[in-house]
Amino acid sequence: MHRRPGLGEVGRFAVTGGAAYLVDVALFNLLSASTGHLAAKVISGIAAIAVAYLGSRHYTWPGHRPTGRHPVVVFVAVSVAAAGVQLGCLWLSHDVMGWTGALADNVSANVMGMGLATLLRFWGFRRLVFPGSARDLPAMSPIRGSLGPQWDPQAK
């Protein structure tokens, strides 16, 4: 039986995802003119995956130990699948439908694609990488939060 997500968990996921999203969108727009739209999306996606893993491990699910022998590999696999959803939306609108402007590229990759990819990421990270009971998580606000039970700012 799988647990239902709590508001704090969803909030922390949103904060972590927001940070990764900012990295993704900023790099995509910075690199699009010089590297092309698909290469820019791949590069920005790699940077965003790194931000998302660190945020997920230390903020979103700090009390959950990753499962399996290679949790980073599973995290990257889920992230690559989600990035593929975004890339597919960009390819479809830009290369198939001919909507080639910067606004169209951002809407397809960073709004529609990101929305679909976010659903896949939440399910995959929570189910495959950081499973556990909601009771295992420390109580914390989605905004103020903490780095988990092992972090004590007073400790020297």
Side-chain angles (χ1 to χ4, degrees):
M1 179 175 214
H2 296 285
R3 61 190 163 80
R4 297 181 74 175
L7 193 54
E9 179 181 15
V10 172
R12 289 187 306 273
F13 181 78
V15 169
T16 296
Y21 181 74
L22 289 175
V23 168
D24 191 7
V25 173
L27 279 177
F28 173 73
N29 283 291
L30 184 68
L31 299 173
S32 283
S34 61
T35 65
H37 64 286
L38 294 178
K41 194 65 192 160
V42 169
I43 294 166
S44 68
I46 291 169
I49 288 169
V51 170
Y53 181 78
L54 292 172
S56 294
R57 177 71 184 96
H58 297 290
Y59 180 68
T60 305
W61 293 289
H64 294 211
R65 294 291 168 232
T67 61
R69 294 181 55 151
H70 303 288
V72 174
V73 173
V74 176
F75 187 93
V76 169
V78 170
S79 296
V80 166
V85 169
Q86 288 180 266
L87 197 59
C89 289
L90 176 60
W91 171 80
L92 180 66
S93 74
H94 190 102
D95 296 324
V96 174
M97 299 173 80
W99 298 341
T100 59
L103 178 61
D105 286 351
N106 273 284
V107 168
S108 64
N110 298 322
V111 177
M112 298 302 295
M114 181 60 78
L116 295 171
T118 297
L119 295 173
L120 176 60
R121 284 184 185 103
F122 186 79
W123 174 85
F125 297 163
R126 189 170 184 268
R127 177 105 185 237
L128 304 173
V129 183
F130 300 106
S133 168
R135 291 176 298 198
D136 297 339
L137 285 173
M140 59 180 153
S141 159
I143 303 301
R144 287 189 34 227
S146 78
L147 293 178
Q150 73 282 355
W151 184 69
D152 180 4
Q154 303 299 323
K156 296 194 183 219

